[in-house]
């Protein structure tokens, strides 16, 4: 098991209130897989990534029953030890890659600061050329053909897709065990999107690098991810392998979520209504108690005011009092 | 890039043109005879007067007069000073190095204090350090410079008697005039024991430099602080943190450059305040520089000097402004992007 998080709670502390933005979420990830983390906007996907990499500011408080990274509990380590492990093994890429690169430094300069020292052993004079060579290799590996030109460019001279490739190059320079991709293809053209996702897939297969793919793009996630965890409003809803989840969801939200995607051959009549749950996601200051899907759930009953425990059944992990598709 | 440079040069030339026009019209607007105002020669015989009037083309149209005026300006002929009866340009060149020296040291102190403190306050935002730095700079910013200078004199010269009150150097030392920059002149002079002279010159420098540096320093701290805060909140700093760089590395490699670059064009404005403060400071500390010279000229209604120094000082300021703008474009890739596309 690469990553095993149980009952993670992330609390936002303000002067007079405390809000659990993530409430008892669980996620476990196998070694060498692509794991999709799916949820609507504001469901706490990015928050999870930042809690994992310990980059949250002080007003957020992170608690968990356990947060195991390859057998070590990250929350029990000191801040320095944790940072060391995270920087060694976990890399992260973001949405809007153009904003994630220093606008006043060339790509080459920015890449050279993440090249590990071990890669450029040699005399003082050789080091520079070794480093450049290593960066060229990196850029080639992420599929940038005109790497020499890219090396000298400033971020604003590159397209978003290229910037994301540079970010990926930066991330893989340390050969991380896990790449956290926080909506890497948000606001990108579909061709670039597929390029980036294929690249991640390729790196996952060849380099044995696990990928945590955080997205709200269901198409992408069902195509590339091995396992999927679904979040709703900070609570983990259901988690299983992609195939199982599509074929036989146990949680009502999962079923609704996959039904919202219109498919070819569904015989949709023109101008008919698309499937969706009534209502909208609750804002942070008005979170319902118990199961947060409760007010919108079609199967909700009295018991749903109590937060459901996560249940394991046929390879699925789900949290619901009244699951569907169970005989 | 070339188009940009042409635009900037165009701005420079246009402003200089307007300035020269104003300076030229002053010759006519000042009370008294315009021949005397333009040349500064007060005791003239009738023949000399007629000759000068012809030379200056004062009988012809204003346009021709302006052309003649420009020719004289380019030849470096600003006339004679009323009070000293020596050439205005020579007087200017004599006092200018002293002002330039003082401003340069003040600018140096400003950068050495302002940039680190602004950076520190920005990084430790909303902590005690930040509040202390910010409130001290706010207080210093609101103290008038003439009062501050007098206060320094009262405290350090009169009460504590640590530092000299005024002047550039003790009268005991007679340093021959070479470049006008005192520290260079001392180095060029052939005295045997130079250290006491340096020591004395530096002691004279401390108070005027501090007085002069106060206002620009506070401005720089404010600019630096807000820039650092906005850079620290940007996406790429957050991304750099996940790359595993330490805070020190992030500051050195990303924050400092990104916060400093937008300040470069502001330096032109900073220089303007500095120039005005220099004049006041020079009066307080009897520093023989431009400000001292110009105010003296105003008291004595030395019209050729006023006319010439208006043109020279403002041209210098505009030149520095344009220069800082061009420098900024050279070093900041983001501005180049806006220009190119």
């Amino acid at each position: 098991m690469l990553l095993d998080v149980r009952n993670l709670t992330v609390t936002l502390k303000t002067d007079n209130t405390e809000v659990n933005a993530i409430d008892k979420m669980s996620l476990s990830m196998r070694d060498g897989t692509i794991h999709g983390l799916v949820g609507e906007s504001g469901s706490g996907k990015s928050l999870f990534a930042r809690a994992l990499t310990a980059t949250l500011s002080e007003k957020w408080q992170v608690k968990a029953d356990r947060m195991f990274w390859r057998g070590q509990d990250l929350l029990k380590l000191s801040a320095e030890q944790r940072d060391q492990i995270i920087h060694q093994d976990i890399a992260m890429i973001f949405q809007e890659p153009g904003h994630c690169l220093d606008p006043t430094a060339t790509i080459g300069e920015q890449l050279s600061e993440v090249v590990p020292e071990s890669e450029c052993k040699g005399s003082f004079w050789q080091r520079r050329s070794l480093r450049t060579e290593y960066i060229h290799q990196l850029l080639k590996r992420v599929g940038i053909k005109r790497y020499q030109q890219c090396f000298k460019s400033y971020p604003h001279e590159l397209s978003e897709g290229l910037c994301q490739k540079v970010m990926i190059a930066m991330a893989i320079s340390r050969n991380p065990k896990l790449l956290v991709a926080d909506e890497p293809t948000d606001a990108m053209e579909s061709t670039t999107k597929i390029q980036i996702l294929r690249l991640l897939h390729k790196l996952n297969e060849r380099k044995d690098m696990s990928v945590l793919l955080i997205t709200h793009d269901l198409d992408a996630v069902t195509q590339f991810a091995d396992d999927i965890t679904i979040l709703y409003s900070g609570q983990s809803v259901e988690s299983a392998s992609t195939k199982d989840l599509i074929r036989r969801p146990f949680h009502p939200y999962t079923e609704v979520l996959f039904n919202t995607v219109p498919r070819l051959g569904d015989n949709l009549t023109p101008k008919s209504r698309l499937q969706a749950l009534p209502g909208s996601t609750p804002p942070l200051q008005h979170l319902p108690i118990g199961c947060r899907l409760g007010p919108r759930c079609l199967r909700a009953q009295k018991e749903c005011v109590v937060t459901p425990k996560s249940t394991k059944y046929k390879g699925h992990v789900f949290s619901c009092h009244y699951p569907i598709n169970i005989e | 890039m070339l188009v940009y440079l042409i635009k900037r040069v165009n701005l420079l030339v246009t402003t200089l043109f307007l300035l020269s026009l104003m300076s030229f019209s002053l010759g006519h607007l000042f009370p008294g005879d315009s021949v005397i105002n333009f040349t500064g020669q007060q005791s003239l015989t009738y023949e000399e007067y007629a000759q000068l009037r012809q030379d200056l083309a004062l009988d012809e149209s204003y346009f021709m007069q302006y052309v003649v005026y420009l020719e004289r300006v380019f030849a470096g002929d600003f006339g004679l000073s009323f009070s000293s009866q020596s050439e205005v340009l020579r007087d200017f060149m004599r006092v200018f190095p002293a002002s330039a020296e003082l401003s340069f040291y003040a600018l140096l102190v400003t950068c050495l204090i302002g940039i680190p403190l602004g950076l520190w306050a920005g990084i430790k935002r909303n902590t005690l350090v930040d509040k202390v730095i910010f409130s001290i700079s706010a207080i210093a910013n609101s103290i008038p410079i003439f009062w501050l200078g007098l206060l320094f004199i009262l405290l350090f010269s009169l009460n504590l008697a640590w530092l000299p009150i005024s002047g550039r150097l003790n009268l005991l030392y007679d340093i021959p005039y070479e470049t006008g920059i005192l520290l260079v002149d001392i180095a060029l002079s052939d005295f045997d024991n130079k250290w006491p002279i340096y020591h004395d010159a530096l002691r004279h420098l401390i108070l005027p430099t501090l007085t002069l540096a106060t206002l620009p320093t506070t401005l720089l701290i404010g600019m630096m602080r807000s820039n650092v805060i906005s850079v620290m909140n940007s996406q790429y700093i957050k991304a750099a943190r996940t790359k595993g760089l330490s805070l020190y590395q992030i500051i050195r490699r990303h924050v400092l450059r990104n916060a400093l670059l937008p300040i470069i064009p502001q330096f032109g404005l900073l220089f303007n305040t500095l120039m005005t403060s220099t004049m006041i400071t020079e009066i307080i500390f009897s520093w023989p520089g431009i400000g001292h010279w110009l105010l003296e000229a105003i008291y004595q209604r030395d019209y050729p000097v006023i006319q010439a120094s208006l043109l020279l000082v403002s041209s210098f300021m505009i030149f520095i402004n344009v220069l800082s703008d061009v420098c900024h474009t050279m070093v900041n890739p983001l501005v180049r992007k806006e220009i190119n596309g």
Side-chain angles (χ1 to χ4, degrees):
Chain A
M1 204 57 91
L2 185 74
L3 179 71
D4 186 16
V5 181
R6 279 274 164 273
N7 291 341
L8 174 80
T9 304
V10 178
T11 316
L12 173 64
K13 275 192 169 173
T14 53
D15 290 336
N16 35 26
T17 49
E18 286 187 9
V19 185
N20 292 345
I22 292 182
D23 186 33
K24 293 190 178 163
M25 170 197 169
S26 302
L27 183 146
S28 49
M29 218 180 137
R30 289 175 293 135
D31 234 326
T33 54
I34 297 184
H35 193 109
L37 182 59
V38 186
E40 296 169 55
S41 315
S43 58
K45 308 182 298 275
S46 302
L47 207 59
F48 172 75
R50 297 185 57 190
L52 179 65
T53 52
T55 43
L56 286 171
S57 61
E58 275 132 35
K59 55 186 176 184
W60 299 92
Q61 202 184 33
V62 180
K63 264 190 246 158
D65 285 358
R66 66 173 192 225
M67 194 158 156
F68 274 25
W69 168 257
R70 312 212 305 156
Q72 261 185 313
D73 196 336
L74 286 178
L75 292 176
K76 293 220 171 78
L77 295 172
S78 71
E80 288 97 51
Q81 280 176 314
R82 189 181 54 199
D83 282 353
Q84 207 186 350
I85 289 177
I86 288 170
H87 292 152
Q88 214 168 31
D89 293 344
I90 305 180
M92 199 164 167
I93 58 174
F94 303 86
Q95 50 183 327
E96 293 188 321
H99 294 267
C100 296
L101 292 163
D102 186 338
T104 56
T106 60
I107 300 298
E109 282 167 25
Q110 302 194 45
L111 272 166
S112 66
E113 45 186 59
V114 292
V115 175
E117 286 296 320
S118 55
E119 293 296 334
C120 38
K121 276 178 192 143
S123 70
F124 182 78
W125 307 104
Q126 286 174 317
R127 228 175 265 169
R128 199 184 159 79
S129 61
L130 278 173
R131 197 167 276 204
T132 314
E133 183 51 35
Y134 185 75
I135 293 168
H136 283 170
Q137 291 296 334
L138 273 180
L139 290 175
K140 262 191 262 179
R141 222 191 294 164
V142 294
I144 298 176
K145 288 192 188 83
R146 298 157 84 180
Y147 53 89
Q148 261 156 340
Q149 199 185 356
C150 180
F151 184 82
K152 286 186 211 125
S153 307
Y154 286 98
H156 63 78
E157 292 163 340
L158 303 176
S159 67
E160 284 281 285
L162 270 179
C163 281
Q164 192 60 282
K165 283 181 184 170
V166 170
M167 288 300 290
I168 293 173
M170 236 175 235
I172 62 171
S173 69
R174 283 172 287 143
N175 292 318
K177 303 275 184 305
L178 171 66
L179 178 72
V180 181
D182 188 358
E183 308 202 26
T185 55
D186 199 47
M188 265 186 212
E189 288 170 47
S190 46
T191 45
T192 341
K193 193 161 92 179
I194 289 168
Q195 269 184 22
I196 297 285
L197 288 170
R198 283 216 180 113
L199 175 65
L200 289 178
H201 189 63
K202 204 178 78 186
L203 288 169
N204 169 252
E205 280 183 337
R206 300 222 181 122
K207 290 263 152 196
D208 199 30
M209 177 180 72
S210 317
V211 178
L212 179 64
L213 186 64
I214 299 175
T215 182
H216 51 228
D217 184 352
L218 279 175
D219 273 344
V221 96
T222 47
Q223 199 178 342
F224 290 102
D226 303 313
D227 305 305
I228 295 179
T229 297
I230 296 170
L231 272 186
Y232 177 82
S233 197
Q235 290 177 326
S236 46
V237 168
E238 187 167 6
S239 168
S241 72
T242 310
K243 266 191 218 151
D244 289 349
L245 210 60
I246 296 173
R247 201 169 355 122
R248 196 175 166 193
F250 289 158
H251 199 287
Y253 182 70
T254 316
E255 188 180 45
V256 175
L257 190 67
F258 282 109
N259 280 341
T260 54
V261 185
R263 260 167 250 280
L264 280 180
D266 268 3
N267 288 329
L268 276 177
T269 46
K271 301 202 176 173
S272 62
R273 273 189 166 275
L274 294 174
Q275 282 246 359
L277 264 187
S280 58
T281 42
L284 267 188
Q285 59 268 36
H286 300 295
L287 288 174
I289 54 161
C291 175
R292 288 182 179 171
L293 186 66
R296 293 173 75 190
C297 185
L298 302 173
R299 296 166 62 89
Q301 292 177 40
K302 215 192 230 167
E303 259 179 84
C304 292
V305 295
V306 180
T307 313
K309 288 213 172 61
S310 61
T311 324
K312 223 172 182 178
Y313 181 71
K314 284 189 174 174
H316 291 232
V317 179
F318 61 93
S319 323
C320 187
H321 295 290
Y322 302 102
I324 52 173
N325 293 334
I326 289 179
E327 287 87 40
Chain B
M1 191 66 202
L2 190 69
V3 176
Y4 171 79
L5 271 181
I6 291 171
K7 271 185 191 165
R8 288 289 115 173
V9 170
N10 180 30
L11 178 73
L12 183 69
V13 169
T14 316
T15 329
L16 287 183
F17 165 70
L18 289 175
L19 268 174
S20 67
L21 215 58
M22 200 168 135
S23 167
F24 163 72
S25 51
L26 278 181
H28 285 287
L29 293 174
F30 280 139
D33 191 284
S34 43
V35 172
I36 294 173
N37 284 346
F38 274 122
T39 60
Q41 296 183 14
Q42 283 166 310
S43 46
L44 294 166
T45 62
Y46 185 75
E47 285 80 29
E48 280 172 338
Y49 182 85
Q51 180 63 35
L52 278 175
R53 200 170 167 79
Q54 205 185 350
D55 286 350
L56 293 173
L58 285 177
D59 296 324
E60 294 174 50
S61 66
Y62 280 123
F63 178 73
M64 285 312 291
Q65 290 177 28
Y66 176 68
V67 171
V68 172
Y69 174 73
L70 273 192
E71 276 171 9
R72 286 177 59 223
V73 166
F74 281 117
D77 175 15
F78 288 94
L80 302 180
S81 160
F82 281 170
S83 51
S84 68
Q85 284 295 306
S86 60
E87 275 180 47
V88 171
L89 190 68
R90 258 182 54 200
D91 279 1
F92 179 82
M93 294 315 276
R94 191 171 47 77
V95 293
F96 181 71
S99 290
E101 193 184 14
L102 186 61
S103 318
F104 176 72
Y105 297 143
L107 209 57
L108 209 65
V109 170
T110 302
C111 291
L112 285 181
I113 298 177
I115 290 173
L117 281 188
L119 188 67
W120 196 19
I123 288 165
K124 302 267 174 192
R125 183 188 175 193
N126 288 339
T127 59
L128 188 67
V129 177
D130 175 33
K131 278 169 190 158
V132 168
I133 292 177
F134 198 62
S135 31
I136 288 179
S137 89
I139 292 169
N141 190 18
S142 36
I143 295 176
I145 175 168
F146 49 87
W147 190 71
L148 187 74
L150 293 176
L151 212 65
F152 275 157
I153 291 180
L154 184 71
L155 193 66
F156 293 108
S157 304
L158 297 177
N159 289 357
L160 294 170
W162 286 351
L163 297 166
I165 295 179
S166 66
R168 297 178 80 185
L169 199 57
N170 197 316
L171 293 174
L172 282 174
Y173 306 113
D174 186 24
I175 299 296
Y177 184 93
E178 293 281 343
T179 56
I181 299 166
L182 190 63
L183 293 188
V184 177
D185 276 356
I186 296 174
L188 289 176
S189 68
D190 44 4
F191 286 100
D192 288 334
N193 194 359
K194 286 181 186 169
W195 289 116
I197 315 181
Y198 274 125
H199 183 241
D200 189 61
L202 288 177
R203 267 161 48 91
H204 277 85
L205 262 175
I206 292 175
L207 284 188
T209 309
L210 280 186
T211 314
L212 192 51
T214 307
L215 188 65
T217 306
T218 57
L219 292 177
L220 191 62
I221 288 178
M223 284 192 269
M224 192 69 195
R225 179 179 174 272
S226 63
N227 280 353
V228 167
I229 287 173
S230 72
V231 170
M232 286 300 275
N233 283 335
S234 66
Q235 276 275 327
Y236 53 88
I237 295 299
K238 282 174 195 153
R241 293 202 140 178
T242 59
K243 282 194 291 191
L245 298 180
S246 67
L247 186 64
Y248 168 73
Q249 280 174 314
I250 288 175
I251 291 167
R252 190 168 59 93
R253 291 193 175 148
H254 299 295
V255 177
L256 198 57
R257 177 177 34 206
N258 279 296
L260 274 180
L261 280 178
I263 289 183
I264 295 174
Q266 307 275 342
F267 250 94
L269 296 175
L270 213 62
F271 197 80
N272 290 357
T273 37
L274 194 72
M275 234 20 213
T276 337
S277 327
T278 311
M279 303 201 170
I280 302 168
T281 316
E282 282 172 4
I283 293 293
I284 299 169
F285 291 96
S286 314
W287 190 269
I290 298 258
H292 202 253
W293 179 63
L294 180 60
L295 283 179
E296 208 60 30
I298 291 172
Y299 281 136
Q300 300 183 359
R301 312 221 174 146
D302 197 342
Y303 298 129
V305 171
I306 298 174
Q307 194 186 5
S309 53
L310 173 90
L311 185 63
L312 289 172
V313 172
S314 36
S315 311
F316 181 66
M317 280 196 195
I318 288 161
F319 188 71
I320 293 283
N321 263 317
V322 171
L323 198 70
S324 71
D325 224 29
V326 172
C327 280
H328 179 229
T329 321
M330 297 284 206
V331 294
N332 192 346
L334 285 178
V335 181
R336 284 207 297 273
K337 166 178 101 176
E338 277 163 30
I339 293 165
N340 291 333

